[in-house]
Amino acid sequence: MPGYILTGAPGSGKTAILRHLEIDGYPVVEEAATDVIALHQALGRPEPWREPGFADRVLDLQRERRRRAAANAGEVVFHDRSPVCTLALCRYLGLAAPPALLAEIEGMTANRHYERTVFFVRHQGFVEATAARRITFEESLVFEQIHELTYREAGFDLADVPAGPLATRVAVIFDRLRRQRNSAHARPHQCPCASDECR
């Protein structure tokens, strides 16, 4: 089934959009990094993103959740971030990307684990701090630019979800999906054998 990534800067309102999509009946794959951070903070490590192996732990959880999502029945599934986000986080923190992460990104693009269109949720002009989100608004703008560049370098097309009311942002996503579906249906089927029987 088509897997669409939602990404953006911390505090952009991405999670609220995903909750709306989930309530509308769409399968949602939760973000891995936030849950890895929450677990390790509960274990007494306040800044796990600075520890060796953090990106690998996030990647392992992302892989497991993607495998589970592949078993879901349905037409569309939405992913809260992807390994490309983990690479953007490494770049933002000035960390070397683990080889396993780079291999995962190469494989996910070659094997079409996700749709090429990525919904990029733009910032809303502020950031609310949480235990896992210790970033200023100014820092989030830098993070947003790194995310955008990293996704484009990986070969994805970004569909902007601009700031606005939640219902309007969800409608932007549904409109893009509808246009893509209509475009796909409008293209004539072309069989690679190119025989007269298939024309």
Side-chain angles (χ1 to χ4, degrees), residues 31-196:
E31 179 183 355
T34 297
D35 290 342
V36 170
I37 290 170
L39 171 61
H40 286 272
Q41 287 179 336
L43 293 171
R45 304 206 287 272
E47 295 186 341
W49 54 86
R50 300 189 185 279
E51 297 178 8
F54 172 73
D56 287 306
R57 288 189 285 273
V58 173
L59 176 60
D60 288 343
L61 185 54
Q62 285 171 328
R63 284 172 170 165
E64 178 58 29
R65 287 180 170 175
R66 183 177 55 78
R67 280 193 290 265
R68 288 183 211 160
N72 282 330
E75 190 175 345
V76 174
V77 61
F78 291 98
H79 294 259
D80 189 349
R81 301 199 181 279
S82 80
V84 179
C85 293
T86 309
L87 176 57
L89 178 60
C90 289
R91 291 177 171 178
Y92 175 74
L93 295 174
L95 303 175
L101 176 59
L102 299 177
E104 179 72 12
I105 292 173
E106 183 177 348
M108 74 182 233
T109 53
N111 299 320
R112 292 293 301 273
H113 291 161
Y114 303 93
E115 291 294 311
R116 182 171 177 174
T117 296
V118 169
F119 292 103
F120 201 100
V121 182
R122 295 296 176 177
H123 70 82
Q124 302 189 89
F126 62 91
V127 170
E128 292 184 3
T130 67
R133 185 194 303 143
R134 302 178 185 180
I135 189 171
T136 67
F137 175 62
E138 289 73 18
E139 291 169 337
S140 78
L141 295 180
V142 176
F143 204 3
E144 182 181 67
Q145 291 176 344
I146 293 172
H147 265 76
E148 182 172 356
L149 178 60
T150 304
Y151 268 95
R152 292 194 188 280
E153 287 179 352
F156 288 92
D157 296 327
L158 302 185
D160 272 1
V161 181
L166 177 58
T168 301
R169 302 180 108 186
V170 172
V172 167
I173 292 172
F174 284 149
D175 180 63
R176 179 61 180 257
L177 292 177
R178 184 168 48 252
R179 286 189 283 117
Q180 285 194 194
R181 187 178 296 115
N182 291 342
S183 176
H185 290 165
R187 288 195 293 268
H189 172 72
Q190 293 182 341
C191 178
C193 72
S195 68
D196 292 337

